Amino acid sequence: MLLTDFLLARIIQRPLPLGLTLLTLGLSACNSDSGNTPTAPAQATAPTFVYDGQDHSWTGTAATGLTLLALDPGDNTLSNESWTAATNGWGPIEKDRSNGDKMAGDGRTLTVAGETHARGFGVHAGSSMTFTLGGKCTTLTAKVGLDDEVGDRGSVVFQVWNDTAIKLYDSGAVRGTDAAKGISVNVSGVQNLRLVVTDAGDGMDYDHADWASPILACSSVAPAPVAPAPVPPAAPTEITYSGPIVITKGGTYSGNWENTLHKPAVLIQTSEPVIIENSNIRSRGNLISGFANRLTVRNTRGYALNPNVAGKAAGRAVNAEEFLNLRVENSYFEGSTGIYARAFRGNAAAGDTIKILRNRFKNTDGRLSDGAGGYNGSHWVVQAILFNDVKRLPNVEIAWNEIINEPGKSRTEENINFYVSSGTPSSPFLIHNNYIQGAYGMSPSTDTTYAGGGILLGDGKVLNPLDSGYARVHDNQIVGTTNHGIAIAGGVDNQMYNNRVLSSGRMPNGQRLPAANVGLYVWDPTGAGKLSPATFANNRMDNNVVGWTRVAADGNTSNNPTWFPNCGLNTTTCVGNQNIGTVTLEMEKQEFTRWQDKLSARGVKVGP
């Protein structure tokens, strides 16, 4: 926690001085021809595309709901049809043209290995298109490959998915030197068809991909459903839990454990490596707890219960005190007070570190129990992920996590917070590609002050510049986190860039959030920048996409994307941040769709 809830919200919600004007994004041209749109359908030489490290991704618009395509019996050219959802890694998807640069309509004739195509889609790695077929079609045919506008550069993977997350086709790596691949995919019975292009795992540069001459073979009506083959009875959904477990020896453990008291369900009392996998855990205290442990948690589900002890909050998902090594991956935690890592005591030179990857967190909850199954109106300050006194630790990564909070069922401060913690100059903390939705106070419809938000760097004051900072926060999506989206409040060499930060100023049910405040802020509240040596210095809040809307009691809206009182202090920069204006609840919903498409395009599985 940066300050008390009241003080932080009170200070940040002051009217902005006129001098603190919005810095709008001056995007560098991807095309070196000074932005001139090519007019010829093809040229003898490929243009130069400048990948400037900024976010030029794109999300298409579509009518609300899924609209069935007006498909005729026989062959249908897919580029004549409308998608129901679409995203692209660089500029808009182009119909019947190559991807081109970042502007609409700047593509060329679709051309793969010298073969031109009048119909199709020009896309860029990181793309996804969804079409609603209604089960009326049988086959998708197309030719796929890298467009000649990038020469022999680029490498992508083409994929076709159905609406039950089953992959129907995977091209493997396709490179700029390859000829077009002909595909024929069985889409019988598919309701919603998704075409995906990923970056083949080696970066997105020059990944201009073509779905050339895509044809859907369809019938006039959807085929009659086929009765499913008999299957064995499903296993019981009710989990039978055993009591708590105390682990005193290293090894791999799987089971279903619970503690009905305000104590850990899994207590680890060994420094030998322990793996907990394929397990279900629930408790009125900490789910997993230990001191001086080497712990891996994977493919595990954890549920924190109301402690039923007056004045106590739910337990931690993982409580790691003076830990030696910590890895948590592909797990699910609900109702907990998050992952708490305090004071690293391992051997970083031997590879000990922290990895928190591909997990789902739901309703991080610091509300205090009334001892009778309810809550007493007070709370503890908790986070989904909190580092406390984790200093000078290399190789840390927090990535591809999904964190969602619901009003009235959660009470979190920042979702991710680093208190008196740091990476190293050569190996900063990497916090990337996370999706965070929601941060709410005890009574979000009436609270006018609340300090919670998305991600906070530099919490706490230090005297040594190596003890706070050295973090990279990029390519995250932050949605509706009330007080702030992302923020820098201290530290050295903290960088937040290429993030998407949005809030409509409303709860999902449409009620206003009176405490809604600001999307991005950079502020030195403790005066660390005036120390010698300074411990607020050389920070960066650059090139983020932000829209932060506040809704007044009378329904009028205003936007407050940034507050930068300490940009410029000790070479700290705040440039290139793009204000997208008023944000709506529909835009927030689209951001979650964007996250799901991103996971599919990258082939990332989140949770157990």
Side-chain angles (χ1 to χ4, degrees):
M1 180 176 64
L2 178 61
L3 295 174
T4 65
D5 291 4
F6 177 79
L7 180 58
L8 176 61
R10 186 68 178 268
I11 294 175
I12 296 180
Q13 287 185 326
R14 295 178 302 180
L16 294 180
L18 293 177
L20 296 177
T21 55
L22 173 68
L23 297 173
T24 55
L25 179 62
L27 297 177
S28 301
C30 177
N31 192 311
S32 62
D33 295 333
S34 301
N36 295 329
T37 303
T39 57
Q43 294 182 358
T45 59
T48 299
F49 296 93
V50 179
Y51 288 85
D52 54 15
Q54 299 185 30
D55 182 5
H56 297 290
S57 57
W58 169 89
T59 300
T61 57
T64 302
L66 299 179
T67 303
L68 182 67
L69 299 184
L71 298 166
D72 298 321
D75 291 345
N76 294 262
T77 299
L78 189 55
S79 63
N80 289 338
E81 310 297 337
S82 298
W83 52 61
T84 52
T87 59
N88 202 39
W90 189 279
I93 292 173
E94 302 283 2
K95 285 190 175 185
D96 302 330
R97 300 173 72 91
S98 65
N99 185 85
D101 212 325
K102 66 180 185 292
M103 304 301 294
D106 61 2
R108 306 166 175 224
T109 298
L110 294 162
T111 308
V112 180
E115 179 181 341
T116 60
H117 299 264
R119 299 291 187 181
F121 300 96
V123 304
H124 197 286
S127 76
S128 174
M129 297 180 288
T130 300
F131 300 89
T132 299
L133 310 185
K136 294 171 59 176
C137 301
T138 58
T139 308
L140 168 71
T141 59
K143 288 192 172 182
V144 298
L146 274 294
D147 195 274
D148 285 4
E149 68 184 5
V150 295
D152 61 358
R153 296 168 293 189
S155 59
V156 301
V157 175
F158 293 85
Q159 298 174 341
V160 179
W161 296 76
N162 71 6
D163 43 358
T164 59
I166 294 176
K167 190 190 301 181
L168 305 177
Y169 171 79
D170 190 303
S171 67
V174 177
R175 307 190 184 281
T177 54
D178 295 339
K181 285 189 174 185
I183 71 171
S184 179
V185 183
N186 184 348
V187 296
S188 298
V190 173
Q191 299 294 314
N192 297 296
L193 182 71
R194 198 150 53 89
L195 308 184
V196 170
V197 174
T198 74
D199 65 3
D202 56 358
M204 66 181 291
D205 291 6
Y206 303 104
D207 287 352
H208 295 217
D210 292 346
W211 296 93
S213 301
I215 300 293
L216 281 170
C218 305
S219 59
S220 58
V221 295
V226 178
V231 296
T237 56
E238 185 68 25
I239 297 170
T240 300
Y241 288 90
S242 64
I245 182 174
V246 177
I247 297 175
T248 59
K249 185 176 181 180
T252 299
Y253 295 80
S254 297
N256 302 321
W257 305 291
E258 73 169 346
N259 200 328
T260 58
L261 303 177
H262 189 57
K263 295 181 179 181
V266 179
L267 180 61
I268 304 172
Q269 296 182 335
T270 177
S271 61
E272 297 173 356
V274 170
I275 299 174
I276 297 171
E277 64 180 11
N278 305 322
S279 297
N280 294 282
I281 305 171
R282 68 182 182 188
S283 180
R284 298 190 185 281
N286 292 329
L287 301 180
I288 304 170
S289 189
F291 180 89
N293 304 136
R294 300 185 185 278
L295 174 63
T296 296
V297 181
R298 60 193 182 207
N299 298 314
T300 289
R301 291 175 171 86
Y303 303 89
L305 307 175
N306 186 315
N308 272 351
V309 176
K312 299 294 185 181
R316 304 281 190 189
V318 178
N319 185 56
E321 297 273 1
E322 299 194 14
F323 64 97
L324 306 177
N325 188 62
L326 178 63
R327 187 179 188 97
V328 185
E329 58 186 16
N330 291 103
S331 292
Y332 174 85
F333 302 109
E334 182 173 339
S336 77
T337 47
I339 295 176
Y340 177 72
R342 185 185 70 83
F344 174 72
R345 297 291 186 263
N347 184 355
D352 290 340
T353 187
I354 303 178
K355 302 283 186 181
I356 302 175
L357 307 173
R358 303 178 301 278
N359 302 286
R360 280 197 165 98
F361 299 79
K362 184 176 181 181
N363 291 333
T364 304
D365 194 3
R367 295 177 297 170
L368 301 186
S369 176
D370 63 3
Y375 300 93
N376 68 10
S378 299
H379 68 275
W380 286 350
V381 173
V382 301
Q383 292 84 4
I385 300 172
L386 173 62
F387 285 16
N388 180 5
D389 195 32
V390 179
K391 297 176 182 175
R392 309 185 192 189
L393 181 57
N395 302 314
V396 170
E397 186 176 18
I398 301 172
W400 299 104
N401 299 287
E402 179 182 292
I403 305 174
I404 296 179
N405 296 296
E406 299 171 296
K409 298 180 181 180
S410 62
R411 204 292 176 187
T412 184
E413 199 79 353
E414 297 80 29
N415 280 274
I416 302 179
N417 178 293
F418 300 91
Y419 181 82
V420 188
S421 296
S422 60
T424 70
S426 62
S427 182
F429 292 162
L430 300 179
I431 305 98
H432 65 91
N433 291 294
N434 299 286
Y435 178 86
I436 299 174
Q437 177 182 310
Y440 303 104
M442 293 293 293
S443 302
S445 64
T446 57
D447 289 341
T448 57
T449 57
Y450 165 66
I455 303 176
L456 177 64
L457 297 181
D459 199 358
K461 188 175 183 179
V462 299
L463 300 180
N464 190 316
L466 293 174
D467 288 345
S468 177
Y470 303 103
R472 302 291 183 267
V473 176
H474 64 89
D475 295 292
N476 301 285
Q477 295 168 260
I478 315 295
V479 180
T481 52
T482 306
N483 182 274
H484 61 275
I486 58 176
I488 299 174
V492 174
D493 194 23
N494 281 319
Q495 300 187 18
M496 305 182 105
Y497 55 91
N498 292 349
N499 300 287
R500 295 178 58 84
V501 181
L502 290 79
S503 177
S504 67
R506 298 183 184 274
M507 289 182 282
N509 66 2
Q511 286 184 283
R512 64 183 287 262
L513 287 165
N517 191 8
V518 65
L520 320 176
Y521 78 75
V522 176
W523 177 37
D524 177 20
T526 66
K530 297 179 181 179
L531 298 176
S532 182
T535 58
F536 180 105
N538 195 31
N539 296 309
R540 173 187 173 197
M541 179 73 78
D542 297 344
N543 302 322
N544 299 288
V545 174
V546 58
W548 209 263
T549 298
R550 299 192 290 194
V551 183
D554 61 5
N556 290 324
T557 61
S558 60
N559 298 318
N560 192 29
T562 61
W563 188 59
F564 293 152
N566 289 117
C567 291
L569 176 63
N570 300 327
T571 71
T572 292
T573 66
C574 305
V575 299
N577 297 295
Q578 179 186 7
N579 175 20
I580 61 174
T582 301
V583 175
T584 65
L585 276 175
E586 183 60 32
M587 292 169 68
E588 290 190 2
K589 294 175 184 176
Q590 291 172 359
E591 201 64 24
F592 185 68
T593 299
R594 185 187 189 97
W595 163 245
Q596 293 175 310
D597 288 342
K598 182 178 179 180
L599 293 175
S600 295
R602 301 290 183 89
V604 176
K605 178 188 177 185
V606 175

